[in-house]
């Protein structure tokens, strides 16, 4: 695949299947091109003399120097047309024709042919089943959409063609301008990763937006997005968030991970901003395209109405942002400038009779405060206020201070011209204060993405051969489910485990127990028992005198509660002081799109009840391992809540990194749980293990 530069900036575009028939796709595409395109348009149709005043060529081979061929012919001939494009040296092909993988097995076979041809000729192929592509840079509109976008710095890709037309129509009224637009169609060749990369290199694209239903190649996308988001924000709506498909998982990690967790994790790792609604997608686009990034996350609010000011304050509380507390000098100045009855503390209430001058003075003072990173200027209509003058004042203040701003104009028709004026200057306006705050939060989120260190993968020294031997031995036994008998695997990867042994008779249990201290932990070992404590298969704090008896009891319980379970023996393990630490879980599962996923969370026997977990796509470097520790709700427990000692987070992050490496090195590990990883002030210890093996893929 070559660069996509000529796809979006061609000089000569051919429509294969151009048509004079009103209402046909070939007609709409040709008309759109003729209406907007700065370059030349070629019509190809062997059955027509001329289309919309262009004389028709019989085939692509007769038209030379075509940069982009738009294919709008029936599916049965589309593949041949694409081959011909390849043969005559056309680099970019946009296949609008439908009837491929979305249409049964015959269509799927046709799509495979298309992919093979694209590979053979190194074609940049968009679609099939695409609405087409647009680029305002050269007035390219190679689509059958009814609307042509205004020019701007947002580039947009959509997996749904219908969504493209809806969005363009909607954006037309909201002064949101586009650079490139692409309807991805079936993504047979070019997919979201390719466009993210292209737009990341495009100096005219400031914001990348996408509507996705899935990601074709998860890892390629993450790699592209991870690089691009360091320079250009990528905001995505990914539909299909609620996924009911709870698989028959043999681990906590597998049970908790749905496919959406993988997207969530991958997007976060790559710095992609994920939004949930179409409204948020375009709010994010408008503010990212129009406003600078904040250098602090504290928000100032200036309002002429108390109630809405409080609503805005609440909205700040619902985000990760905080309400700015003003420096004394700011308070003094506000006090001197504002009338009796005004509130100088944030949210600053300049009261209902405020004219524009008072708005401007107060805004100027708070934007000058070093603690203020962003601001919301909120106005309700009053007799003393001209909204359009206010718009001018806000724009002036924005330019003077360079602080990101959002405006809330709580009115209807009377706000329209002010909103237009602000939008033209890049200041977004809203009716609802919570939307304004959410948009500012998006800016702050992106600022964090820009500031974070790059995700360097960490390579730990491990004994890979020893780990391989453990897995090979299991496979030779025909075992696909392993438990604590495979603790060696963790040791080989440098993960601390308690001292212990699996034994198969009471006398041996006693011998091991003697070596391990006055009291030990004993666990039944069986590939068929998923969660040992559920059947009374774990005894914690067994005194030496009771080891023999406990051996018999554990085996008997296993036989009683799960008569068909194969019992391999009993593990006798060193007793750890669990009260001195926090039980966490580190796990692995595999996602069809993204590969190994690593989970971290609050551990113990209630993992699936609490679901306080977070995921990353492996490899998980130190930056992300540390971020995972902070993302769970129980993070304060790790930092020593309620007088406890803070745990060794370095050690915990290292366990995550080492498990990520294990999962990457051994694709045969389908699922893995270490629950608990006991985190204490001294370190992190893997106390239990469960894993499922699959055939090497
Ligand atoms: P399972 O998860 O199959 O029920 P575990 O080995 O995780 O079995 O043990 C269950 C619980 O018992 C752990 O969450 C922990 O609270 C406690 N436990 C297990 N091993 C030890 C140990 N070596 N020292 C102290 N407590 C332990
Ligand atoms: Mg466990």
């Amino acid at each position: 695949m070559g660069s996509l530069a000529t796809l979006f900036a061609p000089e000569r575009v051919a429509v294969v299947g151009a048509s004079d028939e009103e209402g046909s796709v070939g007609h709409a595409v040709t008309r759109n091109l003729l209406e907007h395109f700065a370059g030349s348009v070629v019509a190809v149709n062997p059955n027509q003399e001329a289309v919309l005043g262009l004389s028709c060529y019989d085939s692509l081979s007769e038209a030379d120097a075509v940069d982009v061929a738009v294919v709008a012919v029936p599916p049965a001939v589309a593949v041949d047309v694409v081959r011909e494009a390849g043969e005559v040296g056309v680099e970019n092909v946009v296949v609008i024709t439908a009837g491929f993988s979305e249409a049964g097995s015959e269509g799927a076979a046709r799509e495979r042919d298309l992919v093979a041809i694209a590979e053979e000729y190194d074609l940049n192929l968009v679609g099939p089943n695409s609405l087409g592509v647009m680029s305002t840079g050269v007035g390219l509109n190679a689509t059958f959409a009814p609307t042509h976008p205004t020019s701007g710095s947002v580039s947009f890709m959509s997996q749904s063609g219908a969504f493209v037309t809806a969005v363009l129509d909607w954006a037309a009224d909201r002064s949101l301008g586009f650079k490139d637009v692409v309807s991805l169609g079936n993504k047979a060749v070019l997919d979201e990763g390719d466009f993210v990369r292209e737009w990341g290199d495009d100096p005219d694209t400031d914001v990348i937006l996408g509507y996705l239903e899935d990601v074709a190649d998860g890892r390629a996308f993450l790699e592209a997005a991870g690089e691009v988001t360091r320079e250009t924000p990528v905001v995505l709506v990914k539909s299909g968030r609620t996924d009911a498909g709870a698989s028959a998982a043999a681990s906590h990690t597998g049970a908790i991970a749905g496919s959406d967790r993988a997207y969530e994790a991958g997007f976060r790792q790559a710095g992609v901003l994920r939004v949930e609604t179409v409204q948020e997608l375009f709010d994010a686009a408008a503010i990212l395209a129009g406003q600078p990034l904040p250098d602090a996350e504290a928000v100032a609010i200036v309002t002429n109405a108390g109630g809405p000011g409080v609503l805005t304050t609440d909205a700040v509380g619902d985000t990760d942002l905080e309400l700015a507390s003003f420096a004394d000098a700011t308070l003094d100045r506000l006090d001197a400038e504002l009338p009796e009855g005004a509130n100088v503390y944030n949210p600053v209430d300049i009261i209902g009779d405020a004219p524009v001058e008072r708005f401007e003075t107060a805004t100027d003072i708070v934007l000058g405060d070093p603690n203020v990173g962003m601001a919301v200027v909120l106005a309700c209509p009053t007799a003393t206020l001209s909204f359009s003058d206010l718009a001018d004042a806000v724009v002036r203040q924005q330019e003077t201070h360079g602080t990101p701003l959002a405006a809330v104009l709580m009115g209807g028709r009377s706000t329209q011209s002010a909103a237009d004026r602000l939008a033209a200057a890049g200041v977004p306006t809203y009716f609802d204060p919570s939307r304004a705050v959410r948009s500012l939060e998006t800016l702050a989120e992106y600022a964090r993405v820009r500031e974070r260190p790059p995700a360097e993968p960490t390579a730990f020294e491990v004994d890979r051969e020893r780990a391989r031997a453990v897995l090979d031995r299991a496979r030779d036994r025909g075992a696909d489910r392993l438990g604590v008998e495979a603790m060696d695997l963790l040791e080989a990867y440098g993960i601390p485990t308690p001292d212990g042994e699996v034994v198969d008779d009471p006398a041996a249990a006693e011998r091991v127990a003697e070596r391990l201290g006055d009291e030990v932990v004993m666990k039944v070992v069986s590939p068929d028992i998923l969660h040992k404590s559920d059947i009374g298969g774990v005894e914690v704090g067994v005194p030496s005198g009771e080891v023999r008896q406990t051996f018999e009891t554990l085996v008997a319980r296993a036989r009683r509660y799960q008569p068909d379970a194969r019992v391999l023996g009993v593990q006798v393990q060193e007793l750890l002081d669990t009260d001195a630490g926090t039980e966490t879980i580190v796990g692995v599962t595999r996602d069809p799109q993204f590969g190994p996923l690593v989970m971290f969370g609050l551990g113990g026997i209630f993992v699936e009840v609490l679901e306080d977990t977070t995921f990353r796509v492996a490899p998980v470097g130190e930056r992300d391992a540390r971020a995972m520790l902070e993302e769970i709700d129980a993070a304060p427990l790790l930092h020593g809540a309620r007088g406890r000692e803070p745990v060794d987070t370095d050690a915990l992050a290292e366990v995550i990194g080492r498990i990520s490496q294990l999962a990457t090195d051994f694709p045969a590990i389908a699922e893995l749980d270490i629950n608990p990883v006991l985190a204490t002030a001294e370190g992190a210890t893997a106390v239990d293990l469960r894993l499922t093996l699959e055939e090497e893929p």
Side-chain angles (χ1 to χ4, degrees):
M1 189 193 80
S3 143
L4 302 184
T6 53
L7 172 65
F8 290 115
E11 287 174 10
R12 207 164 142 82
V13 176
V15 184
V16 188
S19 167
D20 249 343
E21 189 191 324
E22 287 271 357
S24 74
V25 169
H27 182 82
V29 175
T30 315
R31 201 195 42 221
N32 272 338
L33 279 166
L34 287 174
E35 198 169 319
H36 305 282
F37 185 39
S40 60
V41 181
V42 178
V44 177
N45 189 336
N47 306 317
Q48 299 207 354
E49 284 291 307
V51 168
L52 290 159
L54 298 172
S55 55
C56 276
Y57 291 92
D58 282 346
S59 74
L60 261 181
S61 48
E62 291 170 21
D64 20 84
V66 168
D67 298 310
V68 176
V70 184
V71 181
V73 297
V77 288
V79 175
D80 293 331
V81 169
V82 172
R83 186 190 311 280
E84 192 179 356
E87 282 166 355
V88 302
V90 176
E91 282 175 21
N92 306 285
V93 182
V94 179
V95 184
I96 290 181
T97 308
F100 288 83
S101 63
E102 83 285 5
S105 59
E106 197 184 326
R110 209 177 273 139
E111 189 158 310
R112 281 194 294 277
D113 292 344
L114 212 55
V115 173
I117 295 166
E119 270 169 21
E120 184 179 346
Y121 294 100
D122 199 20
L123 293 175
N124 295 323
L125 186 146
V126 179
N129 189 23
S130 160
L131 180 87
V133 301
M134 303 175 176
S135 181
T136 55
V138 291
L140 177 72
N141 186 337
T143 74
F144 57 100
T147 325
H148 186 71
T150 52
S151 122
S153 64
V154 174
S155 286
F156 174 50
M157 60 183 164
S158 172
Q159 198 162 342
S160 150
F163 196 75
V164 171
T165 58
V167 157
L168 293 183
D169 202 55
W170 180 91
D173 290 348
R174 286 168 181 76
S175 5
L176 186 65
F178 293 86
K179 165 64 181 14
D180 300 335
V181 176
V182 56
S183 152
L184 297 167
N186 295 0
K187 306 193 285 196
V189 178
L190 292 178
D191 64 26
E192 49 283 326
D194 300 307
F195 291 104
V196 162
R197 211 178 269 288
E198 171 64 22
W199 291 330
D201 289 337
D202 174 14
D204 298 324
T205 294
D206 291 336
V207 182
I208 298 171
L209 295 192
Y211 166 82
L212 299 181
E213 286 157 12
D214 58 18
V215 166
D217 180 345
R219 302 189 79 83
F221 176 74
L222 295 188
E223 201 179 303
E227 280 170 32
V228 167
T229 56
R230 306 195 68 78
E231 296 289 332
T232 310
V234 177
V235 191
L236 298 179
V237 172
K238 154 77 179 65
S239 63
R241 264 188 310 124
T242 44
D243 116 306
S247 57
S251 66
H252 293 296
T253 312
I256 295 172
S259 76
D260 197 63
R261 300 284 193 149
Y263 283 105
E264 191 79 48
F267 287 180
R268 201 179 269 196
Q269 244 163 310
V272 168
L273 307 177
R274 185 179 188 180
V275 293
E276 296 185 2
T277 64
V278 176
Q279 177 85 76
E280 283 182 325
L281 183 70
F282 290 96
D283 281 353
I287 201 153
L288 285 162
Q291 291 294 292
L293 294 179
D295 47 23
E297 299 201 356
V299 181
I301 300 165
V302 178
T303 175
N304 66 350
V310 176
L311 270 182
T312 314
T313 308
D314 287 346
V316 171
D318 290 339
T319 65
D320 288 342
L321 306 176
E322 57 185 85
L323 204 62
S325 46
F326 297 142
D328 289 344
T330 306
L331 295 172
D332 291 345
R333 287 183 62 200
L334 287 170
D335 215 20
E337 295 288 344
L338 296 181
E340 190 87 12
N343 177 34
V344 298
Y345 296 96
N346 203 8
V348 179
D349 183 355
I350 60 172
I351 58 182
D353 66 347
V356 165
E357 293 70 27
R358 200 187 297 161
F359 253 113
E360 184 157 18
T361 308
T363 305
D364 185 30
I365 296 171
V366 302
L367 294 186
D369 187 301
N371 300 331
V372 171
M374 296 174 262
V376 176
V377 177
L378 185 156
C380 288
T382 66
T384 51
L385 190 67
S386 147
F387 267 161
S388 20
D389 291 349
L390 177 66
D392 290 338
V394 170
V395 171
R396 258 194 312 274
Q397 288 307 316
Q398 213 282 309
E399 282 166 358
T400 311
H401 292 277
T403 307
L405 281 185
V408 177
L409 303 179
M410 292 190 98
R413 199 171 303 151
S414 68
T415 66
Q416 196 52 52
S417 75
D420 291 345
R421 220 176 266 218
L422 286 161
V427 179
T429 57
Y430 311 87
F431 175 81
D432 183 343
S434 65
R435 264 178 68 202
V437 172
R438 174 73 188 99
S439 300
L440 290 177
E441 188 186 30
T442 305
L443 272 189
E445 269 177 59
Y446 183 57
R448 270 179 246 149
V449 169
R450 290 274 288 244
E451 283 158 19
R452 65 185 187 165
E456 308 285 1
T458 339
F460 295 98
E461 212 173 295
V462 297
D463 188 345
R464 199 163 164 170
E465 288 321 304
R466 183 175 166 205
R468 185 182 303 285
V470 174
L471 297 180
D472 286 349
R473 246 183 290 133
R475 224 187 320 253
D476 292 346
R477 286 204 313 272
D480 56 357
R481 286 190 175 180
L482 306 184
V484 288
E485 73 281 8
M487 293 292 265
D488 291 13
L489 186 68
L490 301 181
E491 283 162 25
Y493 267 64
I495 295 163
T497 59
D499 200 350
E501 261 177 67
V502 177
V503 294
D504 53 12
D505 68 85
E510 205 162 49
R511 274 197 304 281
V512 175
E514 248 162 55
R515 180 168 68 76
L516 295 180
D518 297 340
E519 286 183 314
V520 292
V521 177
M522 296 177 69
K523 306 178 187 180
V524 68
V525 181
S526 163
D528 304 311
I529 298 172
L530 274 188
H531 302 302
K532 300 176 284 298
S533 9
D534 288 355
I535 61 133
V538 177
E539 287 293 336
V540 177
V542 183
S544 351
E546 290 173 22
V547 169
R548 273 171 182 268
Q549 181 52 43
T550 304
F551 184 100
E552 308 289 4
T553 309
L554 288 173
V555 174
R557 281 184 194 150
R559 299 240 184 284
R560 180 149 24 111
Y561 292 110
Q562 224 168 298
D564 55 340
R566 290 162 291 168
V567 176
L568 304 180
V570 168
Q571 184 195 37
V572 183
Q573 200 180 43
E574 178 189 350
L575 175 68
L576 302 180
D577 179 6
T578 50
D579 290 343
T582 303
E583 293 194 27
T584 65
I585 178 169
V586 175
V588 174
T589 179
R590 258 164 225 282
D591 179 82
Q593 250 83 41
F594 293 95
L597 279 187
V598 177
M599 181 178 92
F600 171 74
L602 190 64
I605 54 179
F606 297 120
V607 171
E608 283 173 51
V609 180
L610 299 173
E611 270 208 29
D612 186 11
T613 58
T614 181
F615 287 81
R616 285 294 186 280
V617 176
V620 184
E622 192 180 332
R623 180 196 79 189
D624 283 286
R626 287 185 182 283
M628 290 174 89
L629 304 185
E630 302 311 321
E631 277 163 21
I632 63 170
D633 295 336
L637 287 185
L638 304 177
H639 298 304
R642 303 213 147 245
R644 290 148 57 104
E645 253 191 290
V647 309
D648 182 347
T649 46
D650 292 349
L652 205 45
E654 190 173 322
V655 170
I656 294 173
R658 287 178 181 273
I659 283 300
S660 153
Q661 194 168 331
L662 178 70
T664 312
D665 289 349
F666 295 99
I669 300 176
E671 283 180 31
L672 175 150
D673 272 348
I674 312 178
N675 181 28
V677 173
L678 182 66
T680 66
E682 275 76 50
T685 311
V687 174
D688 185 21
L689 173 66
R690 165 144 301 276
L691 69 103
T692 311
L693 293 178
E694 265 170 14
E695 286 300 309
E696 269 314 319

